[in-house]
Amino acid sequence: MPNTSAENNFILVVDDTITNLEIISESLTDEGFEVATAMDGQKALQQIQTRLPDLILLDVMMPVMDGFVTCKHLKNHPETKDIPVIFMTAVADTNSKVQALSLGAVDYITKPFHKAEVLARISTHLQLRNLTKNLEKRVIERTDELNQALQDLKESQLQLVQQEKMSVLGQLMSGLAHEINNPVSCLYGNLGHTLTYLQNMSHLIDLYQQHYPNPVPEIQNEINEIDLEYLRSDLPNLIFSMKEGIQRIRDISKSLRIFSRADTENKIQFNIHEGLDSTILILKHRLKSVGSRANIEIKKDYGNLPLINCFPGQLNQVFMNILANAIDALDESFNSNYADDTQALITHIPQIIIQTMLSEDKSQAVIKIRDNGLGMSQENKARIFDSLFTTKPVGKGTGLGLSISQQIIVQKHGGKLEVNSELGKGAEFIINIPVK
């Protein structure tokens, strides 16, 4: 009965004697092997181009190309170097055996053949070959698993560091906003009283001038010296300017509190537009002109969004990452690519356009953030969300911002984060977040 262990094993027999080929082929076929034959080394090499055998039985003494030369060719090519070669020889001298083994053969068989011996040697070397293949495969798989585990560990560590940094930054912002808020509120409230007192004093001066129109020379000189009318007209303007400045500080303090909101275990209702506005305010200093780049224009096209069920602190982190990247892209575009093109600098105003809307079925809040920088190549676009991938110079980017942003949107909120970009046409990031 055929040997089931031989099934699917393909053996090439190379011998210039037809009788030997017939005997060996018949014996191997009876055992269930697939068999092909060749009568010299050159034909054997040609036949291998069509299908690689699992084992080769190779005669030593052959015309055109003998077994030693054929074996050398086999071992010099990556595709065939691992195929087990068993030499068949009528020469039993030690030198021939040593030469055969030194060329990479795994064994040799001395003619005349003993069927049981041939089958036993073939079976042994096929088993060894299969074990080697399986071992190599397992080593490669295990190595890949370990490399992936190491990569995942590195990414997790970096993400933990990044998240901890954002947490500390959030606490710092929250504390700073609280400390700023108390004295600013005091100043803001007292400025209102100051303006009232000023108006009262100004009314009193009007009464004095009405009832005592001719002051003594000393008072008149002092009035002229301090330019009383100018003081009375300008002092309210100063108070209003201070009030606007303090209101600006209050807005910044409020933005810091909104941006640094600590997330609870459960999602809460949040105004997306407040998160965007607070992030823009925090980044406002980066919108000012730098080098050849003019001030960056922020264009907001806010739709009618309801409160969104989300983790506000994490969502603000996403807005920060995308907007900061857009500013970096505009810096690079204008300072590197348009620096020598005056006309381009005049006509090409750096812009970031933010749109919000509901999806057609009203189930998703859609936030689009688009810049008019140089965009990105398709290769970079395909890797933009890969952890540790960055096109920024060393020390400027970690390659974690967009990777973490995608995790926050997809895994934490069940949403979607996509990018549309072409070279020369800017980049647009599209965020979809379920409303409920």
Side-chain angles (χ1 to χ4, degrees):
M1 292 182 63
N3 182 0
T4 55
S5 65
E7 290 179 2
N8 300 321
N9 281 315
F10 175 49
I11 298 177
L12 175 61
V13 183
V14 187
D15 197 312
D16 62 334
T17 304
I18 295 178
T19 304
N20 290 338
L21 287 178
E22 290 177 348
I23 293 172
I24 297 175
S25 297
E26 185 178 349
S27 299
L28 295 176
T29 303
D30 289 343
E31 291 297 316
F33 293 105
E34 290 186 60
V35 181
T37 61
M39 296 194 68
D40 61 59
Q42 195 172 64
K43 290 178 180 177
L45 294 177
Q46 291 172 352
Q47 189 159 332
I48 285 173
Q49 301 300 317
T50 305
R51 181 182 177 187
L52 292 177
D54 296 302
L55 183 141
I56 299 174
L57 290 175
L58 184 59
D59 188 19
V60 174
M61 305 300 293
M62 294 184 295
V64 184
M65 182 184 291
D66 67 25
F68 292 141
V69 175
T70 305
C71 185
K72 191 173 181 180
H73 275 286
L74 290 169
K75 297 304 175 183
N76 283 339
H77 289 81
E79 298 86 357
T80 57
K81 68 183 181 66
D82 293 326
I83 298 174
V85 176
I86 299 177
F87 272 113
M88 302 181 295
T89 178
V91 182
D93 64 282
T94 303
N95 290 336
S96 296
K97 295 175 182 177
V98 170
Q99 185 178 359
L101 296 174
S102 66
L103 288 172
V106 296
D107 206 346
Y108 59 88
I109 301 170
T110 304
K111 298 178 182 179
F113 305 118
H114 296 282
K115 179 180 177 180
E117 179 187 0
V118 173
L119 293 174
R121 289 176 183 265
I122 289 174
S123 178
T124 298
H125 290 295
L126 283 174
Q127 288 179 21
L128 289 173
R129 173 62 178 152
N130 289 333
L131 287 173
T132 303
K133 279 184 177 179
N134 291 334
L135 181 59
E136 289 173 351
K137 183 180 178 182
R138 290 189 63 186
V139 168
I140 291 171
E141 290 174 351
R142 188 59 179 155
T143 302
D144 289 342
E145 289 173 3
L146 291 173
N147 286 335
Q148 186 61 47
L150 179 61
Q151 183 72 11
D152 291 344
L153 179 61
K154 287 181 179 179
E155 291 177 10
S156 297
Q157 288 175 333
L158 286 170
Q159 288 172 4
L160 286 172
V161 170
Q162 184 81 353
Q163 289 167 357
E164 182 64 21
K165 184 172 71 174
M166 291 301 297
S167 175
V168 172
L169 180 62
Q171 293 174 19
L172 178 63
M173 285 183 176
S174 181
L176 182 62
H178 179 74
E179 291 300 320
I180 290 174
N181 194 52
N182 289 335
V184 164
S185 295
C186 177
L187 287 171
Y188 189 83
N190 286 336
L191 276 178
H193 297 307
T194 302
L195 185 59
T196 301
Y197 298 159
L198 176 63
Q199 290 169 343
N200 291 339
M201 286 190 292
S202 183
H203 179 64
L204 181 61
I205 291 172
D206 289 337
L207 288 175
Y208 265 102
Q209 288 180 334
Q210 180 182 347
H211 292 286
Y212 301 99
N214 299 310
V216 297
E218 185 177 357
I219 293 176
Q220 186 62 50
N221 290 337
E222 186 65 21
I223 289 173
N224 294 334
E225 183 69 25
I226 65 174
D227 196 351
L228 180 61
E229 290 305 314
Y230 176 76
L231 284 180
R232 290 179 63 187
S233 65
D234 192 51
L235 195 53
N237 295 333
L238 292 178
I239 292 175
F240 280 121
S241 295
M242 287 188 286
K243 198 170 183 179
E244 287 179 359
I246 291 173
Q247 182 59 48
R248 165 84 173 141
I249 296 173
R250 293 180 75 189
D251 291 342
I252 293 173
S253 176
K254 179 182 177 183
S255 294
L256 290 175
R257 289 199 308 274
I258 292 173
F259 181 81
S260 61
R261 291 183 66 163
D263 289 326
T264 60
E265 291 183 2
N266 299 314
K267 296 176 183 177
I268 61 173
Q269 298 287 298
F270 180 58
N271 187 330
I272 292 287
H273 297 151
E274 280 190 1
L276 287 165
D277 289 340
S278 69
T279 308
I280 292 169
L281 194 58
I282 291 170
L283 289 170
K284 191 168 185 178
H285 68 286
R286 292 202 57 200
L287 303 176
K288 296 177 181 178
S289 61
V290 177
S292 58
R293 173 181 65 71
N295 292 335
I296 296 174
E297 289 186 359
I298 299 288
K299 290 190 173 183
K300 294 186 282 190
D301 181 13
Y302 289 170
N304 186 19
L305 292 183
L307 295 178
I308 305 300
N309 208 34
C310 64
F311 298 106
Q314 295 182 24
L315 213 52
N316 288 336
Q317 184 181 347
V318 174
F319 297 152
M320 174 70 78
N321 287 335
I322 294 176
L323 286 168
N325 279 344
I327 294 171
D328 289 339
L330 291 170
D331 284 345
E332 183 181 355
S333 297
F334 283 80
N335 290 324
S336 301
N337 298 283
Y338 297 145
D340 299 325
D341 191 342
T342 305
Q343 185 61 33
L345 289 172
I346 294 172
T347 59
H348 199 78
I349 299 171
Q351 292 179 340
I352 296 175
I353 301 169
I354 306 173
Q355 292 178 292
T356 64
M357 64 200 74
L358 281 174
S359 60
E360 290 185 4
D361 62 1
K362 311 295 184 185
S363 67
Q364 303 270 325
V366 182
I367 304 104
K368 297 181 178 181
I369 301 175
R370 183 171 77 252
D371 66 70
N372 63 343
L374 287 182
M376 64 187 80
S377 67
Q378 293 304 303
E379 180 183 358
N380 287 345
K381 177 185 169 184
R383 300 185 60 196
I384 196 70
F385 297 117
D386 290 354
S387 185
L388 304 179
F389 174 75
T390 180
T391 58
K392 297 177 183 177
V394 176
K396 191 166 183 180
T398 62
L400 285 174
L402 290 177
S403 174
I404 291 175
S405 296
Q406 189 180 50
Q407 283 188 355
I408 290 172
I409 297 299
V410 177
Q411 297 178 15
K412 298 290 186 179
H413 292 85
K416 190 164 56 175
L417 177 59
E418 299 174 304
V419 60
N420 293 324
S421 182
E422 293 181 34
L423 278 176
K425 296 185 179 180
E428 179 182 53
F429 287 85
I430 304 171
I431 303 168
N432 286 267
I433 303 173
V435 173
K436 296 182 180 179

